[in-house]
Amino acid sequence: VQLQASGGGLVQAGGSLRLSCAASGLTFNAYAVGWFRQSPGREREFVAGISWSGISSTTYRDSVKGRFTISRDDAKNTVYLQMNSLRPEDTAVYYCAADRTRHTGVQLSRIKYDYWGQGTLVTVSS
């Protein structure tokens, strides 16, 4: 199983980025996928998640609601995180992770996820 996160970069405050998480080696539509982020000196935190395709629910942390949108394209084995109206406090390394347990919703705890990508750095300048 491999998850490949990409799409990070440097953007000014108010700008947008789209992160991608491409998966291989798993039955992708059976997995929930979450995006987490970690900045220096802080714990890795949940950002957004999308359930496995049989449920199709999404969950966001409060600070990104209305700005970030998570979606999945099972034909491409890819999950996207569209990030708009970016703020300096969104600066972090963003990781995607896959959860093989078919919960009815999205898990917020990182310990619930089975596979992790390598991370992509997002830097938002003020």
Side-chain angles (χ1 to χ4, degrees):
V1 175
Q2 189 171 23
L3 299 177
Q4 182 77 33
S6 63
L10 173 64
V11 64
Q12 289 188 329
S16 299
L17 284 173
R18 188 177 80 158
L19 305 184
S20 298
C21 176
S24 60
L26 71 170
T27 305
F28 186 66
N29 61 8
Y31 284 71
V33 176
W35 284 98
F36 292 75
R37 66 187 181 189
Q38 188 169 21
S39 52
R42 300 191 65 176
E43 300 249 335
R44 191 171 299 188
E45 63 185 19
F46 175 85
V47 177
I50 188 165
S51 65
W52 67 286
S53 295
I55 302 294
S56 293
S57 68
T58 58
T59 302
Y60 300 89
R61 70 179 298 107
D62 286 346
S63 63
V64 308
K65 285 180 181 176
R67 300 188 298 124
F68 292 10
T69 302
I70 189 170
S71 62
R72 65 188 303 153
D73 184 341
D74 290 336
K76 295 183 178 180
N77 280 10
T78 301
V79 166
Y80 303 99
L81 185 67
Q82 178 66 44
M83 306 187 296
N84 299 328
S85 301
L86 283 161
R87 304 168 180 170
E89 54 264 38
D90 294 318
T91 295
V93 177
Y94 283 70
Y95 299 88
C96 61
D99 169 15
R100 65 187 171 197
T101 305
R102 298 188 186 185
H103 301 285
T104 55
V106 175
Q107 300 300 300
L108 307 186
S109 171
R110 63 183 185 269
I111 67 173
K112 298 292 188 180
Y113 289 79
D114 304 290
Y115 304 106
W116 289 82
Q118 84 289 358
T120 185
L121 176 62
V122 172
T123 304
V124 184
S125 63
S126 56

